[in-house]
Amino acid sequence: MRLDSTEIKTVRTLVDSIIGKGSMVRVFGSRLNDSIRGGDLDLLVESEAPVDALSRASLKMDLEAKLDLPLDIIFLEKGKKRSAFQELAYSRSGLL
Amino acid sequence: MIPSDPAELERQHLADILEAMRRCAFFSHRLSSAIPHPLTGNLLESLCNDFDLSDKLAAFNERFSKLQDSTAAAMRHAALLSGEKTTTFLEVLVFFEKVGVVKSTRDWQRIRALRNMAAHDYSIDYADIALHFNGLKDVLPELLGVSVRMINYCDTKLFIAPKKVFFESDWQHIVNTFRS
């Protein structure tokens, strides 16, 4: 996984503060491939409860600002049925 | 007649943008009032074939986006005409935060992120769609406030007003409700 310990800590801290402690964070997409360089960061964030739209926007904005990376986030809710796309992303992800 | 003076063209262009802003503010406000709040996934699912609601939601999304785009464009041009040296939009935002048009640079950027996330999303999850529209409705007063203060700034500091006067009574209602 092409994220250093500082970047991982930044992601974890912001997810905890904006979405809530106990949320699970996974990485999918190009950042899991150690043989290539660059690329945006794709995250899956699974929360206990629904996350309102403004909190989702805050997390994306703050992460992009802190990491200086373009970023996409898929939000999942524990226990809620996933779409085909969410399932695909989940199956190709790694725990942060 | 179109003047050849670039400064006058800039002023006319800003007047055009302010008019577009006002139209978007008027329609966003009207559409927002016509959409049930808060929306829920269950309600949207039960009304998934409701053409009228679907049309209103699509129009609200569009007008909200255009309101933010046109307000941002107005800020860029107004900063230029105010003699501000700005190279990035963040500098433009900081200037308008300083003069009280934008209450918080961060809040503006957050609204931008909210709108952008929906523009790139293809969700068919009704609960997610409801969350998105509830979010837009929650922040619309803030965006309308910026628009009202922006038009006031252009009027009082640059002596530039929206080109044509439409929806005057509706606009006064928006001004009275959202200016502070």
Side-chain angles (χ1 to χ4, degrees):
Chain A
M1 185 184 300
R2 289 181 297 116
L3 281 177
D4 63 33
S5 57
T6 310
E7 290 169 327
I8 290 171
K9 193 177 170 195
T10 299
V11 173
R12 203 53 264 182
T13 304
L14 284 172
V15 169
D16 285 353
S17 70
I18 295 172
I19 308 299
K21 286 187 176 172
S23 305
M24 192 181 66
V25 186
R26 303 179 74 88
V27 177
F28 68 102
S30 62
R31 289 274 157 180
L32 285 180
N33 186 343
D34 293 332
S35 64
I36 57 176
R37 297 179 67 183
D40 57 1
L41 175 60
D42 299 303
L43 295 177
L44 272 166
V45 175
E46 190 171 40
S47 58
E48 298 281 350
V51 178
D52 67 79
L54 214 49
S55 299
R56 293 178 183 206
S58 296
L59 180 65
K60 179 175 160 65
M61 190 182 90
D62 289 353
L63 280 173
E64 284 185 334
K66 292 256 182 195
L67 299 173
D68 199 21
L69 277 175
L71 194 128
D72 278 317
I73 310 173
I74 294 177
F75 289 90
L76 303 175
E77 195 184 320
K78 272 180 195 162
K80 188 175 166 185
K81 192 176 183 301
R82 297 177 194 140
S83 70
F85 176 66
Q86 290 169 341
E87 198 60 55
L88 272 173
Y90 193 93
S91 68
R92 295 167 184 172
S93 66
L95 198 59
L96 188 76
Chain B
M1 187 178 154
I2 298 172
S4 56
D5 174 13
E8 186 49 35
L9 286 172
E10 283 287 352
R11 293 176 65 83
Q12 287 199 8
H13 181 47
L14 179 57
D16 288 341
I17 297 171
L18 294 178
E19 185 185 326
M21 250 176 76
R22 225 164 77 147
R23 286 181 61 85
C24 291
F26 166 74
F27 283 114
S28 299
H29 185 246
R30 273 285 174 92
L31 285 159
S32 173
S33 309
I35 295 168
H37 189 69
L39 283 172
T40 63
N42 286 341
L43 178 67
L44 283 182
E45 190 162 9
S46 70
L47 295 172
C48 65
N49 292 325
D50 186 319
F51 183 81
D52 184 52
L53 178 62
S54 168
D55 219 23
K56 281 177 185 155
L57 291 174
F60 179 51
N61 215 25
E62 170 86 6
R63 293 292 181 173
F64 184 98
S65 293
K66 287 193 170 171
L67 176 58
Q68 195 175 33
D69 284 346
S70 55
T71 306
M75 282 188 214
R76 277 192 212 96
H77 286 278
L80 181 78
L81 289 169
S82 300
E84 285 298 307
K85 286 185 180 146
T86 53
T87 47
T88 65
F89 187 64
L90 185 59
E91 289 169 340
V92 173
L93 273 179
V94 168
F95 169 68
F96 281 106
E97 189 179 28
K98 195 172 70 185
V99 297
V101 169
V102 175
K103 289 200 169 163
S104 148
T105 299
R106 180 182 153 76
D107 285 351
W108 173 271
Q109 290 173 317
R110 207 161 57 138
I111 296 174
R112 181 89 187 157
L114 172 70
R115 160 259 161 110
N116 283 351
M117 282 174 83
H120 301 294
D121 199 0
Y122 307 99
S123 179
I124 52 164
D125 182 304
Y126 291 106
D128 272 353
I129 296 169
L131 281 174
H132 165 67
F133 282 104
N134 290 337
L136 291 192
K137 282 196 70 156
D138 288 343
V139 299
L140 181 64
E142 202 174 313
L143 185 54
L144 288 172
V146 176
S147 311
V148 166
R149 293 189 294 276
M150 189 64 213
I151 286 179
N152 184 53
Y153 174 88
C154 292
D155 186 24
T156 56
K157 304 292 182 193
L158 302 172
F159 309 107
I160 299 171
K163 207 166 189 179
K164 289 178 194 161
V165 176
F166 289 117
F167 327 115
E168 191 53 45
S169 61
D170 298 275
W171 178 249
Q172 277 315 313
H173 172 70
I174 292 173
V175 169
N176 294 336
T177 312
F178 300 105
R179 73 179 144 201
S180 59

mmCIF file of all heavy atoms in Angstrom, chain A residues 19-60:
data_model
loop_
_atom_site.group_PDB
_atom_site.id
_atom_site.type_symbol
_atom_site.label_atom_id
_atom_site.label_comp_id
_atom_site.label_asym_id
_atom_site.label_seq_id
_atom_site.Cartn_x
_atom_site.Cartn_y
_atom_site.Cartn_z
ATOM 1 N N ILE A 19 -16.158 11.534 11.164
ATOM 2 C CA ILE A 19 -17.170 10.472 10.988
ATOM 3 C C ILE A 19 -17.461 9.766 12.315
ATOM 4 O O ILE A 19 -18.577 9.356 12.586
ATOM 5 C CB ILE A 19 -16.699 9.435 9.926
ATOM 6 C CG1 ILE A 19 -16.284 10.153 8.633
ATOM 7 C CG2 ILE A 19 -17.769 8.376 9.662
ATOM 8 C CD1 ILE A 19 -17.377 10.945 7.963
ATOM 9 N N GLY A 20 -16.444 9.613 13.123
ATOM 10 C CA GLY A 20 -16.653 8.977 14.424
ATOM 11 C C GLY A 20 -15.699 7.819 14.648
ATOM 12 O O GLY A 20 -15.338 7.115 13.695
ATOM 13 N N LYS A 21 -15.272 7.670 15.906
ATOM 14 C CA LYS A 21 -14.359 6.573 16.237
ATOM 15 C C LYS A 21 -15.076 5.241 16.012
ATOM 16 O O LYS A 21 -16.275 5.141 16.216
ATOM 17 C CB LYS A 21 -13.890 6.699 17.680
ATOM 18 C CG LYS A 21 -12.880 7.819 17.831
ATOM 19 C CD LYS A 21 -12.270 7.859 19.201
ATOM 20 C CE LYS A 21 -11.195 8.947 19.212
ATOM 21 N NZ LYS A 21 -10.643 9.221 20.514
ATOM 22 N N GLY A 22 -14.315 4.261 15.603
ATOM 23 C CA GLY A 22 -14.923 2.956 15.347
ATOM 24 C C GLY A 22 -15.244 2.758 13.879
ATOM 25 O O GLY A 22 -15.616 1.663 13.462
ATOM 26 N N SER A 23 -15.122 3.833 13.075
ATOM 27 C CA SER A 23 -15.351 3.679 11.633
ATOM 28 C C SER A 23 -14.182 2.904 11.036
ATOM 29 O O SER A 23 -13.034 3.091 11.443
ATOM 30 C CB SER A 23 -15.428 5.043 10.951
ATOM 31 O OG SER A 23 -16.390 5.837 11.568
ATOM 32 N N MET A 24 -14.497 2.052 10.084
ATOM 33 C CA MET A 24 -13.442 1.260 9.453
ATOM 34 C C MET A 24 -12.990 1.964 8.160
ATOM 35 O O MET A 24 -13.836 2.466 7.415
ATOM 36 C CB MET A 24 -13.970 -0.124 9.122
ATOM 37 C CG MET A 24 -12.892 -1.111 8.738
ATOM 38 S SD MET A 24 -13.631 -2.696 8.354
ATOM 39 C CE MET A 24 -14.558 -2.281 6.904
ATOM 40 N N VAL A 25 -11.678 2.007 7.944
ATOM 41 C CA VAL A 25 -11.161 2.652 6.727
ATOM 42 C C VAL A 25 -10.382 1.630 5.909
ATOM 43 O O VAL A 25 -9.507 0.934 6.445
ATOM 44 C CB VAL A 25 -10.232 3.847 7.067
ATOM 45 C CG1 VAL A 25 -9.839 4.592 5.791
ATOM 46 C CG2 VAL A 25 -10.900 4.799 8.043
ATOM 47 N N ARG A 26 -10.711 1.537 4.644
ATOM 48 C CA ARG A 26 -9.998 0.631 3.745
ATOM 49 C C ARG A 26 -9.533 1.413 2.512
ATOM 50 O O ARG A 26 -10.121 2.447 2.178
ATOM 51 C CB ARG A 26 -10.912 -0.537 3.314
ATOM 52 C CG ARG A 26 -11.466 -1.332 4.492
ATOM 53 C CD ARG A 26 -12.389 -2.451 4.013
ATOM 54 N NE ARG A 26 -11.655 -3.544 3.414
ATOM 55 C CZ ARG A 26 -11.169 -4.583 4.092
ATOM 56 N NH1 ARG A 26 -11.356 -4.661 5.402
ATOM 57 N NH2 ARG A 26 -10.517 -5.535 3.477
ATOM 58 N N VAL A 27 -8.497 0.909 1.868
ATOM 59 C CA VAL A 27 -7.969 1.544 0.656
ATOM 60 C C VAL A 27 -8.217 0.596 -0.513
ATOM 61 O O VAL A 27 -8.059 -0.617 -0.377
ATOM 62 C CB VAL A 27 -6.444 1.799 0.781
ATOM 63 C CG1 VAL A 27 -5.876 2.394 -0.509
ATOM 64 C CG2 VAL A 27 -6.166 2.725 1.955
ATOM 65 N N PHE A 28 -8.651 1.161 -1.646
ATOM 66 C CA PHE A 28 -8.748 0.337 -2.848
ATOM 67 C C PHE A 28 -8.171 1.132 -4.015
ATOM 68 O O PHE A 28 -7.790 2.291 -3.867
ATOM 69 C CB PHE A 28 -10.200 -0.108 -3.099
ATOM 70 C CG PHE A 28 -11.139 1.003 -3.487
ATOM 71 C CD1 PHE A 28 -11.515 1.191 -4.813
ATOM 72 C CD2 PHE A 28 -11.659 1.862 -2.527
ATOM 73 C CE1 PHE A 28 -12.385 2.213 -5.175
ATOM 74 C CE2 PHE A 28 -12.526 2.891 -2.873
ATOM 75 C CZ PHE A 28 -12.891 3.062 -4.194
ATOM 76 N N GLY A 29 -8.074 0.495 -5.170
ATOM 77 C CA GLY A 29 -7.577 1.200 -6.356
ATOM 78 C C GLY A 29 -6.058 1.222 -6.437
ATOM 79 O O GLY A 29 -5.353 0.419 -5.817
ATOM 80 N N SER A 30 -5.547 2.211 -7.179
ATOM 81 C CA SER A 30 -4.140 2.209 -7.579
ATOM 82 C C SER A 30 -3.161 2.291 -6.402
ATOM 83 O O SER A 30 -2.018 1.852 -6.515
ATOM 84 C CB SER A 30 -3.873 3.357 -8.546
ATOM 85 O OG SER A 30 -4.122 4.591 -7.904
ATOM 86 N N ARG A 31 -3.589 2.842 -5.279
ATOM 87 C CA ARG A 31 -2.663 2.983 -4.138
ATOM 88 C C ARG A 31 -2.302 1.638 -3.495
ATOM 89 O O ARG A 31 -1.414 1.563 -2.662
ATOM 90 C CB ARG A 31 -3.258 3.901 -3.076
ATOM 91 C CG ARG A 31 -3.290 5.344 -3.503
ATOM 92 C CD ARG A 31 -1.995 6.040 -3.208
ATOM 93 N NE ARG A 31 -1.809 7.204 -4.062
ATOM 94 C CZ ARG A 31 -0.765 8.000 -4.009
ATOM 95 N NH1 ARG A 31 0.206 7.781 -3.161
ATOM 96 N NH2 ARG A 31 -0.656 9.020 -4.832
ATOM 97 N N LEU A 32 -3.008 0.590 -3.901
ATOM 98 C CA LEU A 32 -2.665 -0.750 -3.390
ATOM 99 C C LEU A 32 -1.571 -1.392 -4.237
ATOM 100 O O LEU A 32 -1.013 -2.424 -3.868
ATOM 101 C CB LEU A 32 -3.904 -1.655 -3.390
ATOM 102 C CG LEU A 32 -4.940 -1.397 -2.291
ATOM 103 C CD1 LEU A 32 -6.101 -2.383 -2.432
ATOM 104 C CD2 LEU A 32 -4.326 -1.499 -0.904
ATOM 105 N N ASN A 33 -1.323 -0.802 -5.390
ATOM 106 C CA ASN A 33 -0.329 -1.362 -6.311
ATOM 107 C C ASN A 33 1.032 -0.703 -6.061
ATOM 108 O O ASN A 33 1.244 0.463 -6.396
ATOM 109 C CB ASN A 33 -0.796 -1.116 -7.757
ATOM 110 C CG ASN A 33 0.104 -1.804 -8.771
ATOM 111 O OD1 ASN A 33 1.236 -2.194 -8.442
ATOM 112 N ND2 ASN A 33 -0.387 -1.941 -9.987
ATOM 113 N N ASP A 34 1.966 -1.464 -5.483
ATOM 114 C CA ASP A 34 3.269 -0.910 -5.115
ATOM 115 C C ASP A 34 4.198 -0.720 -6.315
ATOM 116 O O ASP A 34 5.251 -0.099 -6.187
ATOM 117 C CB ASP A 34 3.960 -1.816 -4.088
ATOM 118 C CG ASP A 34 3.216 -1.812 -2.764
ATOM 119 O OD1 ASP A 34 2.561 -0.782 -2.468
ATOM 120 O OD2 ASP A 34 3.262 -2.826 -2.044
ATOM 121 N N SER A 35 3.810 -1.259 -7.482
ATOM 122 C CA SER A 35 4.722 -1.188 -8.624
ATOM 123 C C SER A 35 4.486 0.045 -9.488
ATOM 124 O O SER A 35 5.197 0.253 -10.468
ATOM 125 C CB SER A 35 4.575 -2.455 -9.480
ATOM 126 O OG SER A 35 3.278 -2.501 -10.022
ATOM 127 N N ILE A 36 3.475 0.834 -9.165
ATOM 128 C CA ILE A 36 3.263 2.054 -9.954
ATOM 129 C C ILE A 36 3.453 3.284 -9.067
ATOM 130 O O ILE A 36 3.674 3.146 -7.860
ATOM 131 C CB ILE A 36 1.854 2.082 -10.619
ATOM 132 C CG1 ILE A 36 0.747 1.954 -9.560
ATOM 133 C CG2 ILE A 36 1.724 1.003 -11.647
ATOM 134 C CD1 ILE A 36 -0.646 2.079 -10.125
ATOM 135 N N ARG A 37 3.377 4.462 -9.676
ATOM 136 C CA ARG A 37 3.608 5.689 -8.905
ATOM 137 C C ARG A 37 2.429 6.650 -9.073
ATOM 138 O O ARG A 37 1.685 6.573 -10.054
ATOM 139 C CB ARG A 37 4.898 6.380 -9.381
ATOM 140 C CG ARG A 37 6.120 5.528 -9.147
ATOM 141 C CD ARG A 37 7.363 6.233 -9.655
ATOM 142 N NE ARG A 37 7.658 7.423 -8.857
ATOM 143 C CZ ARG A 37 8.657 8.260 -9.133
ATOM 144 N NH1 ARG A 37 9.427 8.053 -10.168
ATOM 145 N NH2 ARG A 37 8.883 9.296 -8.358
ATOM 146 N N GLY A 38 2.290 7.559 -8.122
ATOM 147 C CA GLY A 38 1.270 8.601 -8.213
ATOM 148 C C GLY A 38 -0.137 8.058 -8.091
ATOM 149 O O GLY A 38 -0.364 7.017 -7.479
ATOM 150 N N GLY A 39 -1.086 8.761 -8.702
ATOM 151 C CA GLY A 39 -2.482 8.337 -8.665
ATOM 152 C C GLY A 39 -3.237 8.931 -7.494
ATOM 153 O O GLY A 39 -2.641 9.419 -6.532
ATOM 154 N N ASP A 40 -4.557 8.912 -7.604
ATOM 155 C CA ASP A 40 -5.356 9.456 -6.512
ATOM 156 C C ASP A 40 -5.515 8.408 -5.410
ATOM 157 O O ASP A 40 -5.005 7.286 -5.528
ATOM 158 C CB ASP A 40 -6.713 9.960 -7.024
ATOM 159 C CG ASP A 40 -7.493 8.878 -7.739
ATOM 160 O OD1 ASP A 40 -6.989 7.741 -7.820
ATOM 161 O OD2 ASP A 40 -8.602 9.163 -8.217
ATOM 162 N N LEU A 41 -6.189 8.790 -4.355
ATOM 163 C CA LEU A 41 -6.391 7.872 -3.233
ATOM 164 C C LEU A 41 -7.872 7.506 -3.157
ATOM 165 O O LEU A 41 -8.736 8.387 -3.098
ATOM 166 C CB LEU A 41 -5.933 8.553 -1.932
ATOM 167 C CG LEU A 41 -6.183 7.799 -0.632
ATOM 168 C CD1 LEU A 41 -5.477 6.439 -0.624
ATOM 169 C CD2 LEU A 41 -5.710 8.632 0.566
ATOM 170 N N ASP A 42 -8.153 6.208 -3.201
ATOM 171 C CA ASP A 42 -9.535 5.723 -3.102
ATOM 172 C C ASP A 42 -9.743 5.074 -1.742
ATOM 173 O O ASP A 42 -9.041 4.119 -1.398
ATOM 174 C CB ASP A 42 -9.810 4.693 -4.209
ATOM 175 C CG ASP A 42 -9.646 5.305 -5.595
ATOM 176 O OD1 ASP A 42 -10.325 6.297 -5.869
ATOM 177 O OD2 ASP A 42 -8.813 4.794 -6.375
ATOM 178 N N LEU A 43 -10.707 5.593 -1.008
ATOM 179 C CA LEU A 43 -10.969 5.075 0.335
ATOM 180 C C LEU A 43 -12.395 4.547 0.456
ATOM 181 O O LEU A 43 -13.324 5.047 -0.190
ATOM 182 C CB LEU A 43 -10.809 6.188 1.381
ATOM 183 C CG LEU A 43 -9.432 6.803 1.587
ATOM 184 C CD1 LEU A 43 -9.524 7.929 2.611
ATOM 185 C CD2 LEU A 43 -8.423 5.753 2.050
ATOM 186 N N LEU A 44 -12.531 3.536 1.303
ATOM 187 C CA LEU A 44 -13.848 3.051 1.729
ATOM 188 C C LEU A 44 -13.959 3.383 3.207
ATOM 189 O O LEU A 44 -13.069 3.021 3.987
ATOM 190 C CB LEU A 44 -13.903 1.528 1.608
ATOM 191 C CG LEU A 44 -14.327 0.883 0.313
ATOM 192 C CD1 LEU A 44 -13.952 -0.594 0.361
ATOM 193 C CD2 LEU A 44 -15.818 1.016 0.099
ATOM 194 N N VAL A 45 -15.003 4.071 3.582
ATOM 195 C CA VAL A 45 -15.189 4.387 5.002
ATOM 196 C C VAL A 45 -16.501 3.751 5.439
ATOM 197 O O VAL A 45 -17.570 4.066 4.902
ATOM 198 C CB VAL A 45 -15.222 5.911 5.242
ATOM 199 C CG1 VAL A 45 -15.548 6.228 6.691
ATOM 200 C CG2 VAL A 45 -13.890 6.540 4.851
ATOM 201 N N GLU A 46 -16.416 2.828 6.379
ATOM 202 C CA GLU A 46 -17.623 2.139 6.850
ATOM 203 C C GLU A 46 -17.951 2.625 8.256
ATOM 204 O O GLU A 46 -17.151 2.486 9.178
ATOM 205 C CB GLU A 46 -17.424 0.628 6.844
ATOM 206 C CG GLU A 46 -18.730 -0.113 7.090
ATOM 207 C CD GLU A 46 -18.590 -1.618 6.858
ATOM 208 O OE1 GLU A 46 -17.543 -2.184 7.243
ATOM 209 O OE2 GLU A 46 -19.516 -2.210 6.298
ATOM 210 N N SER A 47 -19.131 3.209 8.401
ATOM 211 C CA SER A 47 -19.517 3.795 9.690
ATOM 212 C C SER A 47 -20.654 3.003 10.331
ATOM 213 O O SER A 47 -21.342 2.228 9.661
ATOM 214 C CB SER A 47 -19.950 5.238 9.484
ATOM 215 O OG SER A 47 -21.015 5.283 8.564
ATOM 216 N N GLU A 48 -20.842 3.240 11.624
ATOM 217 C CA GLU A 48 -21.924 2.565 12.359
ATOM 218 C C GLU A 48 -23.281 3.146 11.967
ATOM 219 O O GLU A 48 -24.271 2.438 11.910
ATOM 220 C CB GLU A 48 -21.723 2.769 13.878
ATOM 221 C CG GLU A 48 -20.430 2.191 14.437
ATOM 222 C CD GLU A 48 -20.521 0.690 14.657
ATOM 223 O OE1 GLU A 48 -21.626 0.135 14.560
ATOM 224 O OE2 GLU A 48 -19.461 0.088 14.904
ATOM 225 N N ALA A 49 -23.313 4.470 11.734
ATOM 226 C CA ALA A 49 -24.580 5.165 11.461
ATOM 227 C C ALA A 49 -24.467 5.920 10.139
ATOM 228 O O ALA A 49 -23.356 6.134 9.644
ATOM 229 C CB ALA A 49 -24.861 6.137 12.599
ATOM 230 N N PRO A 50 -25.598 6.344 9.555
ATOM 231 C CA PRO A 50 -25.524 7.122 8.310
ATOM 232 C C PRO A 50 -24.710 8.401 8.520
ATOM 233 O O PRO A 50 -24.765 8.998 9.591
ATOM 234 C CB PRO A 50 -26.987 7.475 8.007
ATOM 235 C CG PRO A 50 -27.809 6.536 8.807
ATOM 236 C CD PRO A 50 -26.996 6.149 9.996
ATOM 237 N N VAL A 51 -23.962 8.799 7.497
ATOM 238 C CA VAL A 51 -23.134 10.014 7.590
ATOM 239 C C VAL A 51 -23.773 11.086 6.710
ATOM 240 O O VAL A 51 -24.009 10.855 5.523
ATOM 241 C CB VAL A 51 -21.699 9.731 7.084
ATOM 242 C CG1 VAL A 51 -20.853 10.990 7.127
ATOM 243 C CG2 VAL A 51 -21.065 8.623 7.912
ATOM 244 N N ASP A 52 -24.078 12.250 7.288
ATOM 245 C CA ASP A 52 -24.754 13.290 6.505
ATOM 246 C C ASP A 52 -23.821 13.847 5.419
ATOM 247 O O ASP A 52 -22.599 13.700 5.485
ATOM 248 C CB ASP A 52 -25.287 14.405 7.411
ATOM 249 C CG ASP A 52 -24.165 15.180 8.053
ATOM 250 O OD1 ASP A 52 -23.585 16.027 7.377
ATOM 251 O OD2 ASP A 52 -23.859 14.916 9.227
ATOM 252 N N ALA A 53 -24.461 14.482 4.431
ATOM 253 C CA ALA A 53 -23.729 14.909 3.233
ATOM 254 C C ALA A 53 -22.633 15.929 3.549
ATOM 255 O O ALA A 53 -21.562 15.907 2.937
ATOM 256 C CB ALA A 53 -24.714 15.495 2.215
ATOM 257 N N LEU A 54 -22.893 16.814 4.491
ATOM 258 C CA LEU A 54 -21.908 17.845 4.805
ATOM 259 C C LEU A 54 -20.675 17.245 5.484
ATOM 260 O O LEU A 54 -19.547 17.688 5.239
ATOM 261 C CB LEU A 54 -22.550 18.915 5.694
ATOM 262 C CG LEU A 54 -22.056 20.334 5.490
ATOM 263 C CD1 LEU A 54 -22.033 20.727 4.024
ATOM 264 C CD2 LEU A 54 -22.879 21.323 6.287
ATOM 265 N N SER A 55 -20.872 16.240 6.317
ATOM 266 C CA SER A 55 -19.723 15.572 6.946
ATOM 267 C C SER A 55 -18.913 14.823 5.894
ATOM 268 O O SER A 55 -17.685 14.791 5.947
ATOM 269 C CB SER A 55 -20.196 14.580 8.021
ATOM 270 O OG SER A 55 -20.890 15.250 9.030
ATOM 271 N N ARG A 56 -19.589 14.217 4.940
ATOM 272 C CA ARG A 56 -18.882 13.530 3.846
ATOM 273 C C ARG A 56 -18.018 14.534 3.078
ATOM 274 O O ARG A 56 -16.855 14.286 2.776
ATOM 275 C CB ARG A 56 -19.888 12.886 2.877
ATOM 276 C CG ARG A 56 -20.659 11.747 3.481
ATOM 277 C CD ARG A 56 -21.664 11.172 2.493
ATOM 278 N NE ARG A 56 -22.447 10.117 3.128
ATOM 279 C CZ ARG A 56 -23.027 9.116 2.496
ATOM 280 N NH1 ARG A 56 -22.938 9.030 1.191
ATOM 281 N NH2 ARG A 56 -23.714 8.209 3.143
ATOM 282 N N ALA A 57 -18.633 15.689 2.778
ATOM 283 C CA ALA A 57 -17.900 16.722 2.034
ATOM 284 C C ALA A 57 -16.727 17.247 2.861
ATOM 285 O O ALA A 57 -15.634 17.470 2.331
ATOM 286 C CB ALA A 57 -18.845 17.862 1.672
ATOM 287 N N SER A 58 -16.942 17.406 4.172
ATOM 288 C CA SER A 58 -15.860 17.907 5.048
ATOM 289 C C SER A 58 -14.685 16.951 5.051
ATOM 290 O O SER A 58 -13.525 17.365 4.986
ATOM 291 C CB SER A 58 -16.362 18.051 6.491
ATOM 292 O OG SER A 58 -17.360 18.998 6.560
ATOM 293 N N LEU A 59 -14.986 15.656 5.154
ATOM 294 C CA LEU A 59 -13.912 14.665 5.205
ATOM 295 C C LEU A 59 -13.092 14.696 3.910
ATOM 296 O O LEU A 59 -11.856 14.732 3.939
ATOM 297 C CB LEU A 59 -14.481 13.257 5.448
ATOM 298 C CG LEU A 59 -13.426 12.161 5.522
ATOM 299 C CD1 LEU A 59 -12.515 12.350 6.733
ATOM 300 C CD2 LEU A 59 -14.068 10.770 5.581
ATOM 301 N N LYS A 60 -13.786 14.708 2.792
ATOM 302 C CA LYS A 60 -13.078 14.730 1.496
ATOM 303 C C LYS A 60 -12.224 15.990 1.375
ATOM 304 O O LYS A 60 -11.046 15.931 1.008
ATOM 305 C CB LYS A 60 -14.096 14.661 0.355
ATOM 306 C CG LYS A 60 -13.479 14.713 -1.036
ATOM 307 C CD LYS A 60 -14.541 14.511 -2.089
ATOM 308 C CE LYS A 60 -14.141 15.013 -3.456
ATOM 309 N NZ LYS A 60 -13.027 14.333 -4.081
#
